[in-house]
Amino acid sequence: MGKYDAVFERSIERPEEFWGEAAKNITWFKQFDKVLDDSNPPFYKWFVGGKMNTCYNAIDRHVENGRGEQTAIIYDSPVTNTIRKISYKELLDEVSKFAGGLADLGVTKGDTVVIYMPMIPEAAVAMLACARLGAIHSVVFGGFAPHELAIRIDHAAPKILITASGAIEGKKTLEYKPLVDSAIAQSTHEVEKVILFQREFVKGTLQEGRDIDWKELVAKSAPVPCVELDATDPLYILYTSGTTGMPKGVLRDNGGHAVALYWTMKNLYNIDPGDVWWSASDVGWVVGHSYIVYAPLLQGATSVFYEGKPVGTPDAGAFWRVISEHKVKSMFTAPTAFRAIKKEDPNGEFFAKYDTSCFDCLYLAGERTDPDTLHWAEDLIGVPVIDHWWQTETGWAIVGNCRGIEELPVKEGSPTRAMPGWDVRVVDDVGDEVARGTEGNIVVKLPLPPGTLTTLWKNEERFIKSYMSKFPGYYETSDGGYMDEDDYVYVMGRMDDVINIAGHRLSTGAMEEIISNHPDVAECAVFGADDKLKGQLPVGFFVVKAGVTRDGKEIKDELVKMVRESIGPIACFRDACQVARLPKTRSGKILRGTMRSIANNKDYKVPSTIDDPSILDEITDTLTQMGYVKK
Ligand code: COA
Ligand code: AMP
């Protein structure tokens, strides 16, 4: 039996022993009484009775153990021409003072705090300060529009909102404060205070009585120690797209999260304390939570905080410059970033300009790594390129290649094998396991390992309905795929109406909800079309109400604007077309999957339940004219 097989087998057969041992790497104020409480499935609790604090484990203990002078965060911002190194000691100072400021404003354990910030270290300071106090943070990605921020404010009901005056997105300067003011005006929940971090290049206006300047707050606050928390107390809520306009508030605990993330840094990513690690994502996504902020700091590594793009800031050599300048051992990003670099620098001329001999491995996730990108990157960089599959809900990889245990051979199109702790199966629609090589629903036998979602914030019913009902005893991932004879998993894509645009998860259902608010639109459908750069892009079809004679192109432009203004630029909703009718089943269900197959030039079966098959010919013609269907 290989080394990996042995670790995996033990994790599945004796999970309490496995994770109990992993938990020894976390500093507990009080040892837990039980590793796993499985008395109330599917609500499993890890490390019950344990007392700890995630911020203490991520910062304080490293300072106490002699790592104070080591760099914790390297802020590298080509868009503002800044490089700033923050040691663990300095981070402790900043976080404990900012936590003091929050405490002065009345933030205590269990309060919620919304954070809407660009990729600046203050975003991590805000998150860690919340963790220090036991307040539950909810970071909202800066590419979401005020309407989306308002939905999250209303659901999370924060006491405080923390933001910055703006960001530089590629070459554009964006003002955040008007967006925040608009979101607060749109929401019904009343935020007590807004803390504003002013940036040099754009200043936000403070609203008297409500808004507080970050620096002024910190100047008069005293550092506070870590609050002792239960392992099962919530650390954060992270909203992610579901199939409707209302996102799902994934809830993460403290103890299980710290144990699992710490474990992954060595065992999956092969990162030791003191190594330089770079996750080129954004704090607004789960990758940013887990692998820009929490995991590298829990491990005592150095985390690069990059405010820039893979291309255009200033060129396609940006990644190589960062790797060589900061001696990055390994990095993690989305395949789309590499497709963007490949498009601009297919022959790797920029790569050749830098000494990247420090570089050990490239990890990709967020979407399937297509074989072209995999091989291009492997050939160019000459180090392993490791795909791994996970979701906001899971917080860390479900399927991966544990290089810290035993590096398994890479097979193109597969993120390799189930990670320790994950009993992954592929089942048909009635829950029976399918044969190897046959596609089905990818599910995970319960209990899930530590660090995964404990429930959905204020919505246990949706938690059960979305993940735990269809296949009792299993977690439904909503991804489809298959397993081969060597237990390699192949993830083929979402089975629901969630799409993946440039590694960002978005809901077509949410876009439909916006479009159907247009006064001329009777009904609509949005689905994902394959895109060479971004993986998928949304395409919309709309049917106008009887009597509407306006130009369809004009309506389309209005819809594009509406989606951009409501969801945000990140939705990349640019293509839509008026059609006379939408294909439906006899019971009225719109056949989005069939339209998606047509748009993506895939074979499809005409569903037996279809109301009028001739509509599919009309749809095919329209998609041909739009340039999706290739003759
Ligand atoms: N704040 C505000 N706006 C943002 C934003 C942010 N944080 N992030 C993106 N946007 C805007 C962009 O400016 C763009 O606006 P535009 O329509 O006015 O041009 C729009 O949202 C779409 O952004 P994006 O899809 O990122 O496209 P892009 O052309 O700017 O960049 C890539 C393309 C491939 C370079 C970029 O998507 C990328 O680096 N992807 C990697 C993704 C990643 O790290 N994912 C995390 C999971 S690991
Ligand atoms: P998010 O919750 O934003 O991380 O998005 C999760 C979804 O992204 C998954 O359900 C998958 O559909 C997709 N995804 C993430 N990583 C991979 C991967 N390595 N291979 C295939 N799909 C992936």
Side-chain angles (χ1 to χ4, degrees):
M1 190 189 279
K3 229 172 157 186
Y4 179 74
D5 291 309
V7 174
F8 179 77
E9 200 178 286
R10 191 164 148 252
S11 77
I12 300 299
E13 283 173 7
R14 298 193 296 282
E16 292 204 50
E17 182 187 302
F18 183 88
W19 292 112
E21 202 170 286
K24 289 184 184 149
N25 296 306
I26 292 303
T27 306
W28 299 89
F29 299 146
K30 176 189 165 282
Q31 190 62 22
F32 42 89
D33 305 318
K34 200 167 170 20
V35 176
L36 173 67
D37 173 358
D38 56 3
S39 58
N40 182 28
F43 299 97
Y44 295 90
K45 291 182 179 166
W46 288 94
F47 309 112
V48 180
K51 300 269 187 196
M52 49 83 71
N53 184 290
T54 300
C55 180
Y56 178 83
N57 277 277
I59 311 177
D60 300 53
R61 68 165 174 168
H62 300 310
V63 176
E64 289 167 15
N65 295 339
R67 236 169 237 292
E69 301 307 321
Q70 185 201 304
T71 303
I73 290 176
I74 301 173
Y75 168 52
D76 185 310
S77 169
V79 294
T80 58
N81 213 5
T82 312
I83 290 177
R84 186 180 152 215
K85 295 188 178 173
I86 305 166
S87 69
Y88 272 98
K89 199 163 156 294
E90 287 162 341
L91 188 61
L92 175 61
D93 192 48
E94 288 195 29
V95 169
S96 54
K97 271 203 190 135
F98 188 67
L102 288 177
D104 291 344
L105 296 175
V107 175
T108 56
K109 183 184 157 189
D111 285 338
T112 51
V113 173
V114 163
I115 300 172
Y116 185 72
M117 292 184 104
M119 274 298 292
I120 52 176
E122 286 72 17
V125 170
M127 291 163 77
L128 289 156
C130 289
R132 195 168 188 84
L133 297 173
I136 308 163
H137 63 70
S138 185
V139 183
V140 179
F141 176 63
F144 282 122
H147 168 75
E148 288 291 318
L149 180 56
I151 291 177
R152 287 154 174 82
I153 290 173
D154 275 336
H155 196 258
K159 198 175 238 178
I160 307 270
L161 189 149
I162 305 170
T163 190
S165 53
I168 300 183
E169 236 301 290
K171 294 194 168 49
K172 288 173 293 200
T173 299
L174 305 175
E175 283 189 64
Y176 272 26
K177 191 57 184 9
L179 305 179
V180 168
D181 289 340
S182 161
I184 292 176
Q186 288 178 44
S187 56
T188 48
H189 169 76
E190 251 184 66
V191 175
E192 285 176 24
K193 297 281 175 208
V194 173
I195 302 172
L196 176 69
F197 182 82
Q198 297 280 20
R199 304 194 70 187
E200 288 304 315
F201 55 88
V202 57
K203 298 288 171 202
T205 313
L206 293 162
Q207 185 177 307
E208 182 103 26
R210 189 197 67 187
D211 299 354
I212 301 158
D213 179 85
W214 173 298
K215 287 184 186 139
E216 281 176 24
L217 176 73
V218 172
K220 55 178 199 253
S221 69
V224 291
C226 291
V227 170
E228 195 171 284
L229 301 173
D230 284 328
T232 50
D233 280 336
L235 171 66
Y236 70 76
I237 307 163
L238 179 57
Y239 288 93
T240 188
S241 299
T243 50
T244 66
M246 184 61 217
K248 296 166 166 174
V250 165
L251 194 68
R252 200 89 63 208
D253 66 6
N254 273 278
H257 175 254
V259 170
L261 289 197
Y262 178 94
W263 184 90
T264 59
M265 278 317 278
K266 177 64 191 166
N267 292 285
L268 171 57
Y269 300 111
N270 200 24
I271 292 291
D272 289 302
D275 285 345
V276 182
W277 161 260
W278 178 22
S279 174
S281 178
D282 188 287
V283 281
W285 306 110
V286 68
V287 175
H289 281 63
S290 294
Y291 293 109
I292 296 176
V293 180
Y294 287 112
L297 297 182
L298 285 165
Q299 176 65 315
T302 298
S303 181
V304 177
F305 225 86
Y306 177 68
E307 188 183 27
K309 295 254 175 188
V311 293
T313 56
D315 53 40
F319 277 16
W320 320 129
R321 198 262 310 151
V322 173
I323 289 172
S324 107
E325 190 161 347
H326 304 305
K327 304 271 171 295
V328 172
K329 180 176 176 191
S330 291
M331 86 173 286
F332 175 172
T333 191
T336 189
F338 268 76
R339 289 197 296 270
I341 297 171
K342 180 176 159 212
K343 194 169 160 220
E344 297 225 343
D345 185 24
N347 302 320
E349 281 158 25
F350 280 103
F351 179 77
K353 292 185 192 173
Y354 296 93
D355 173 7
T356 55
S357 52
C358 55
F359 197 50
D360 181 55
C361 186
L362 169 66
Y363 296 91
L364 298 175
E367 53 174 329
R368 181 171 176 268
T369 299
D370 53 286
D372 273 0
T373 307
L374 172 76
H375 297 309
W376 181 81
E378 280 174 337
D379 293 346
L380 181 73
I381 324 172
V383 299
V385 177
I386 303 291
D387 182 12
H388 57 317
W389 167 58
W390 53 302
Q391 309 179 321
T392 303
E393 287 84 347
T394 67
W396 56 287
I398 311 166
V399 170
N401 194 339
C402 284
R403 293 185 66 247
I405 301 173
E406 177 192 2
E407 189 170 323
L408 299 173
V410 169
K411 293 196 195 185
E412 64 172 42
S414 170
T416 313
R417 288 177 49 187
M419 291 284 293
W422 295 89
D423 189 351
V424 175
R425 317 272 177 101
V426 182
V427 299
D428 62 18
D429 283 343
V430 291
D432 291 330
E433 267 185 67
V434 298
R436 293 299 160 110
T438 305
E439 266 188 55
N441 306 280
I442 311 183
V443 297
V444 184
K445 192 163 185 294
L446 298 177
L448 295 181
T452 55
L453 81 170
T454 51
T455 186
L456 292 179
W457 179 246
K458 290 200 265 185
N459 209 338
E460 290 196 342
E461 212 178 296
R462 191 172 182 194
F463 169 74
I464 292 180
K465 191 161 171 272
S466 303
Y467 308 111
M468 306 294 174
S469 298
K470 192 164 173 199
F471 304 106
Y474 292 85
Y475 165 74
E476 181 186 358
T477 68
S478 293
D479 274 308
Y482 64 95
M483 239 192 261
D484 73 7
E485 295 296 336
D486 300 322
D487 295 339
Y488 276 59
V489 179
Y490 293 76
V491 183
M492 305 310 287
R494 299 286 300 196
M495 318 272 276
D496 56 11
D497 296 326
V498 164
I499 58 172
N500 201 310
I501 306 167
H504 306 137
R505 173 165 160 183
L506 287 136
S507 162
T508 54
M511 297 182 209
E512 289 179 5
E513 280 177 32
I514 308 284
I515 294 172
S516 46
N517 281 334
H518 190 287
D520 294 339
V521 171
E523 57 179 355
C524 64
V526 177
F527 51 90
D530 294 347
D531 180 75
K532 269 207 174 104
L533 176 65
K534 297 197 178 181
Q536 281 185 302
L537 280 175
V539 180
F541 280 149
F542 58 95
V543 177
V544 295
K545 289 178 181 159
V548 173
T549 52
R550 291 178 62 209
D551 177 25
K553 165 82 176 58
E554 217 175 273
I555 299 175
K556 175 211 143 181
D557 291 344
E558 288 164 7
L559 298 178
V560 167
K561 194 160 170 267
M562 280 170 80
V563 174
R564 190 178 170 92
E565 280 172 2
S566 293
I567 298 182
I570 203 70
C572 297
F573 182 78
R574 296 193 191 105
D575 208 5
C577 191
Q578 182 179 345
V579 290
R581 307 176 293 170
L582 288 169
K584 290 184 189 166
T585 62
R586 283 188 285 280
S587 60
K589 195 174 167 293
I590 296 175
L591 293 165
R592 295 178 183 80
T594 311
M595 290 192 279
R596 187 172 63 216
S597 297
I598 299 173
N600 295 332
N601 299 283
K602 296 220 169 81
D603 292 338
Y604 66 94
K605 274 199 203 114
V606 177
S608 57
T609 51
I610 194 165
D611 183 35
D612 178 355
S614 71
I615 302 180
L616 293 182
D617 297 332
E618 296 168 20
I619 292 291
T620 306
D621 286 346
T622 309
L623 284 167
T624 308
Q625 282 158 26
M626 292 169 85
Y628 293 100
V629 174
K630 309 276 178 262
K631 285 197 182 133

